[in-house]
Amino acid sequence: MASLRVPEMTRAGVCVVGAGPAGLALTLMLLRSGVEVALVERSTGLRRDFHGEILQPGGQRVLDELGVLAPARARGARELEGFQVLQDERLLLDVDYRRLPAPYDRLLALPQRHLLDELLAACRALPGLTFLEGHRVSGLVRERGRIAGVVAHRHDGGTTTVRAAVVAGADGRHSRTRMLAGIDAGRREAFDQDVAWFALPAPGRATGAVRVHRTRTGAVLVHDTHPDRLRVGWTLPHRTWNRVAVRGIEDVRRELAEALPGFADLIHAHLRSLSDLTLLDVFAAQAGRWVDDGLLLVGDSAHTHGPIGAQGINLALQDAAAAHPVLLDAVGAGDASRDRLLPYELRRRPAAAGVHRVQRVQAKALLGRSGPVATRLRSRAAAVVTRSRIGERITHRIAYGPDPVGVRTDLFTTPPPVPTAAARATRRGDG
């Protein structure tokens, strides 16, 4: 098979760095609006690490407005009715998403690979895309004091230069784009826990919810995922993984089986070594600035959150929807100055800060250690949330975030792509 020719130089209206949910959604919005986009992605074949896969209603709405939610779901997903907190296997808190208006009255556990494949397929079906996969950004092009593109190293050792009116950094919590721009990540150790994730085959054992099982030492998160599996997040005191590893897998299995007695058989059968667990370093971050002359940051590149409340993908997709009209305006005006891009940051920074504040409270209330007094207080607070109108308002705010953002479909100039017969067959086979 002949290798594809990789250009040494390419030009675009916008260069998006990172083909995660935010980067691909933003690319699709821009392409639908007639903007040429160069999408730079370090991995090949979207072989990358996936963490979050819970979609809140706010993120579902963005994807639905882009026309990719239904085909991504068809590949395989799990509906979840809400969040539940259990103390000693007793239901303490039930945040029921079925109280929200349809069609977004469920959480959705959607494997990120399914979502990314659909987003990328939609982008590739439109004119104006240059997809540079297997390219790692190694430098920023600067021109008269502003960012004007990126330099990327390829897996074959060569380099490609992308010149663009704006660079949109969507390359995650350890964003190289942000670092090269000299912007501080703003990391804060706002949480007392890290999370060790693993998955268990569980045919016929679906929970139908995201559950937080509180224990005497912390909490364990459990939710269904496709296909017929449980995704488990074991919370640990921050930076204590090395002490856990010394204990060995048998001791870890025993503690997890005690915390999840309903799934003890699965834990003993399928959790075979410490390599089955993936540690997520949990921290909060708010970049010093989200925009600069010729630069805009979205999603985890601009702000990083803990896993509680499943807000990461939700916020990233809403960032992309908020950035879309601002970038379109900048490219159309030929002015990608910081002042022109600043309305995006002024809108979205307060939303991210609000989620940070809520998550700190949630982490202490739901994941902190137990005690008789703390348990009584949690029970009283849970009753208020579960049984009152306050609970409905809280559920809506968690589901859509403090700044619900929809896609500016009125700015689209290109009709949505029509899936080919081969693509439809692929979706049916994967689902």
Side-chain angles (χ1 to χ4, degrees), residues 50-129:
F50 303 122
H51 295 296
E53 62 177 37
I54 298 293
L55 281 177
Q56 291 276 4
Q60 293 175 44
R61 185 180 74 168
V62 170
L63 295 171
D64 209 7
E65 290 169 340
L66 289 174
V68 298
L69 181 61
R73 287 184 64 160
R75 289 178 177 265
R78 288 289 179 271
E79 286 189 351
L80 305 170
E81 294 178 352
F83 287 95
Q84 296 177 342
V85 179
L86 293 89
Q87 178 84 43
D88 300 322
E89 296 301 297
R90 178 174 61 88
L91 185 63
L92 179 67
L93 174 65
D94 188 3
V95 181
D96 190 347
Y97 272 52
R98 292 172 297 179
R99 293 191 286 184
L100 297 172
Y104 312 118
D105 54 353
R106 299 288 193 281
L107 292 161
L108 193 64
L110 178 66
Q112 234 187 84
R113 181 57 187 262
H114 293 181
L115 173 58
L116 300 185
D117 283 348
E118 286 299 331
L119 283 167
L120 182 57
C123 291
R124 279 178 155 158
L126 293 167
L129 174 69

Side-chain angles (χ1 to χ4, degrees), residues 8-208:
E8 300 295 327
M9 168 76 78
T10 190
R11 295 182 180 273
V14 178
C15 174
V16 176
V17 181
L24 280 167
L26 179 58
T27 297
L28 182 54
M29 294 176 208
L30 292 169
L31 292 171
R32 290 288 308 277
S33 300
V35 177
E36 292 187 342
V37 180
L39 176 60
V40 182
E41 166 59 31
R42 182 175 60 179
S43 69
T44 56
L46 294 182
R47 290 191 293 271
R48 60 208 318 264
D49 293 330
F50 303 122
H51 295 296
E53 62 177 37
I54 298 293
L55 281 177
Q56 291 276 4
Q60 293 175 44
R61 185 180 74 168
V62 170
L63 295 171
D64 209 7
E65 290 169 340
L66 289 174
V68 298
L69 181 61
R73 287 184 64 160
R75 289 178 177 265
R78 288 289 179 271
E79 286 189 351
L80 305 170
E81 294 178 352
F83 287 95
Q84 296 177 342
V85 179
L86 293 89
Q87 178 84 43
D88 300 322
E89 296 301 297
R90 178 174 61 88
L91 185 63
L92 179 67
L93 174 65
D94 188 3
V95 181
D96 190 347
Y97 272 52
R98 292 172 297 179
R99 293 191 286 184
L100 297 172
Y104 312 118
D105 54 353
R106 299 288 193 281
L107 292 161
L108 193 64
L110 178 66
Q112 234 187 84
R113 181 57 187 262
H114 293 181
L115 173 58
L116 300 185
D117 283 348
E118 286 299 331
L119 283 167
L120 182 57
C123 291
R124 279 178 155 158
L126 293 167
L129 174 69
T130 301
F131 183 37
L132 301 172
E133 62 178 338
H135 285 64
R136 181 175 183 270
V137 170
S138 55
L140 299 177
V141 177
R142 296 182 182 271
E143 189 175 84
R144 294 190 294 276
R146 63 176 293 275
I147 293 169
V150 304
V151 177
H153 274 80
R154 306 192 301 265
H155 287 176
D156 64 6
T159 60
T160 298
T161 299
V162 180
R163 299 189 70 86
V166 193
V167 173
D171 46 344
R173 52 172 36 201
H174 302 296
S175 170
R176 188 163 180 79
T177 307
R178 182 189 63 223
M179 184 270 292
L180 290 168
I183 299 174
D184 181 69
R187 174 171 174 147
R188 289 177 289 116
E189 305 299 338
F191 304 106
D192 295 327
Q193 299 90 15
D194 290 329
V195 182
W197 290 101
F198 60 96
L200 298 170
R205 306 283 286 275
T207 67

Side-chain angles (χ1 to χ4, degrees), residues 231-429:
R231 187 163 162 80
V232 183
W234 180 30
T235 64
L236 302 166
H238 198 35
R239 300 188 186 281
T240 62
W241 174 250
N242 288 340
R243 294 204 296 272
V244 171
V246 169
R247 290 161 47 189
I249 188 59
E250 289 192 12
D251 195 34
V252 167
R253 265 199 306 259
R254 184 165 49 251
E255 180 171 337
L256 285 167
E258 289 176 2
L260 301 173
F263 304 114
D265 58 327
L266 301 179
I267 291 168
H268 284 296
H270 300 290
L271 195 60
R272 298 186 177 91
S273 72
L274 291 174
S275 63
D276 292 333
L277 291 86
T278 300
L279 184 68
L280 176 65
D281 178 19
V282 177
F283 61 89
Q286 180 87 273
R289 58 188 186 279
W290 295 16
V291 299
D292 213 335
D293 293 332
L295 176 70
L296 180 147
L297 303 175
V298 296
D300 280 1
S301 300
H303 51 91
T304 301
H305 301 264
I308 191 166
Q311 291 296 323
I313 300 178
N314 208 45
L315 289 168
L317 290 170
Q318 291 182 332
D319 281 357
H324 163 229
V326 175
L327 287 171
L328 197 59
D329 171 69
V331 172
D335 175 12
S337 64
R338 183 176 187 275
D339 287 345
R340 196 91 188 196
L341 301 175
L342 193 56
Y344 156 74
E345 179 177 347
L346 293 177
R347 176 174 184 179
R348 293 300 294 167
R349 182 181 281 275
V355 171
H356 277 141
R357 287 193 295 272
V358 171
Q359 282 196 328
R360 286 196 295 272
V361 173
Q362 289 174 324
K364 290 179 180 178
L366 301 181
L367 305 183
R369 293 173 180 254
S370 295
V373 175
T375 297
R376 283 196 299 272
L377 290 174
R378 288 188 183 101
S379 297
R380 292 171 185 168
V384 171
V385 173
T386 302
R387 300 169 191 159
S388 71
R389 294 296 298 274
I390 295 174
E392 291 185 30
R393 292 197 293 270
I394 291 173
T395 302
H396 190 278
R397 188 173 178 85
I398 294 172
Y400 287 94
D403 174 32
V405 184
V407 178
R408 288 288 304 276
T409 55
D410 60 303
L411 299 176
F412 289 171
T413 58
T414 304
V418 178
T420 64
R424 287 194 295 269
T426 298
R427 289 169 186 165
R428 287 195 299 270

